[in-house]
Amino acid sequence: MRLSIIIVNYNVTQLLRCCLLSVRKYVADIEYEVIVIDNASTDSSWKDLIPEFPDVHFTASETNAGFSKANNKAIKTAKGDYLLILNPDTEFEGFYMKDILYFADSQPDFGCLGVRMHDAEGNFHPESKRSVPDMFNSFEKLFVNFKKNNAKSYYRDDIDETAVDKVEIVTGAFLLIKKAVYDQVGGLDEAYFMYGEDVDLCYTLLKNGYTNFYYGQASILHHKGESTVKDEIYLQRFYGAMQIFINKYYRKSQPLQYMLLKAGLNLRYKIEKSKLK
């Protein structure tokens, strides 16, 4: 088996259907499987997709234990040489998967790969290519949020959005990785419920000597955040994920950066929380 596509669903049946239709249309020339794991959706309509997509392996979790655990559970059954962790709110837009796999095969220390993402209006998602969070680019991301051309910023603005290049971090909405490598590094860290697990996996790959890539010659439509309610729970999970990351990688090795990053996260969390009132 060449490729296993792993999709975690939570209350987005119609988007999942569009995603599966795009896979059926554009990944037909590769030996692949699709594994959909429902993460205890409150909406059971995803089951209506089972007869429409008989070749898809549908499974369900009894409880929602988070994105990382659901992916790791599904990947245990995967048979592909490569894994593609794919969001249900994404859609393929062309027959580029074979070219991407050929590119991955040609890289001696291939870690993972992400592609160019855009919304329904065609606006580029800058999180398609990112740097490892540190004291400087995190300040830019949390408080400044400006675009610096030809600068290695948080969103790697030095890399053109249509380029193919080495990059530190790609998004878990579309993340290609060899299954053997995924297993070797331990998969997604289950300490993350949602958010941050893709950053952690990419950084883990770098620390293990692998190289990550941004493949801007291929693009996906990403209906970003359709299943996410921007409430206090969201803020706790998002900023909590960043706290897990800095605890893991900066607390002991770089205490000064850790203290500054922690202070910045706490301040930004309070600012965002105040906007909810």
Side-chain angles (χ1 to χ4, degrees):
M1 182 76 65
R2 184 75 162 135
L3 177 68
S4 294
I5 301 174
I6 312 298
I7 304 173
V8 176
N9 177 66
Y10 184 73
N11 289 337
V12 287
T13 299
Q14 291 306 310
L15 290 172
L16 173 61
R17 181 177 183 272
C18 292
C19 178
L20 293 175
L21 286 172
S22 77
V23 171
R24 176 189 284 174
K25 179 178 181 179
Y26 290 117
V27 196
D29 57 347
I30 295 170
E31 184 187 11
Y32 75 97
E33 64 177 353
V34 179
I35 302 171
V36 173
I37 180 166
D38 183 76
N39 219 7
S41 292
T42 57
D43 174 9
S44 62
S45 63
W46 66 271
K47 295 179 182 179
D48 297 337
L49 301 179
I50 295 175
E52 184 178 358
F53 298 95
D55 296 331
V56 173
H57 306 291
F58 288 92
T59 185
S61 293
E62 294 182 0
T63 60
N64 184 352
F67 183 79
S68 295
K69 286 187 178 181
N71 271 291
N72 287 340
K73 180 180 179 181
I75 286 169
K76 288 179 181 178
T77 68
K79 300 181 178 68
D81 296 328
Y82 281 92
L83 305 170
L84 176 60
I85 297 174
L86 187 67
N87 269 22
D89 58 354
T90 61
E91 295 178 40
F92 280 79
E93 297 184 313
F95 296 96
Y96 42 69
M97 202 63 227
K98 180 177 280 189
D99 292 336
I100 289 175
L101 290 171
Y102 179 79
F103 172 82
D105 286 339
S106 70
Q107 304 303 318
D109 297 310
F110 181 78
C112 68
L113 177 147
V115 297
R116 185 173 80 255
M117 301 190 304
H118 64 85
D119 63 19
E121 285 71 45
N123 299 307
F124 175 65
H125 288 324
E127 63 269 24
S128 302
K129 48 181 176 65
R130 289 171 285 173
S131 299
V132 175
D134 62 22
M135 180 171 60
F136 301 103
N137 61 39
S138 293
F139 179 84
E140 169 207 334
K141 169 66 169 60
L142 291 170
F143 298 105
V144 183
N145 197 28
F146 66 93
K147 183 178 178 65
K148 298 187 298 182
N149 292 322
N150 301 317
K152 189 177 177 180
S153 61
Y154 182 81
Y155 287 129
R156 289 307 304 268
D157 295 316
D158 58 317
I159 297 176
D160 187 82
E161 66 180 72
T162 61
V164 175
D165 208 338
K166 296 177 182 178
V167 72
E168 290 85 2
I169 308 295
V170 299
T171 177
F174 183 113
L175 191 150
L176 181 75
I177 185 172
K178 291 180 179 177
K179 187 174 188 299
V181 173
Y182 189 89
D183 291 339
Q184 182 215 329
V185 300
L188 292 172
D189 187 336
E190 296 183 0
Y192 298 89
F193 182 88
M194 184 178 291
Y195 312 113
E197 68 287 318
D198 49 0
V199 178
D200 190 290
L201 177 59
C202 291
Y203 191 42
T204 298
L205 290 168
L206 295 175
K207 289 171 71 68
N208 279 271
Y210 293 101
T211 303
N212 302 331
F213 294 91
Y214 170 70
Y215 197 89
Q217 292 181 3
S219 64
I220 59 169
L221 172 60
H222 185 202
H223 302 279
K224 182 180 176 182
E226 289 294 330
S227 61
T228 301
V229 178
K230 301 298 177 62
D231 56 11
E232 188 170 347
I233 294 176
Y234 161 78
L235 292 178
Q236 290 173 350
R237 288 174 177 169
F238 181 82
Y239 288 100
M242 296 302 101
Q243 186 65 55
I244 292 171
F245 184 85
I246 65 171
N247 283 348
K248 184 174 179 179
Y249 294 110
Y250 291 114
R251 189 170 190 170
K252 292 183 179 180
S253 62
Q254 300 182 59
L256 177 58
Q257 279 214 48
Y258 171 77
M259 287 188 294
L260 292 172
L261 284 167
K262 183 177 180 179
L265 284 172
N266 289 338
L267 177 58
R268 187 64 190 180
Y269 171 74
K270 291 178 181 177
I271 292 172
E272 293 298 320
K273 186 178 178 180
S274 67
K275 295 178 182 179
L276 298 176
K277 299 178 180 180

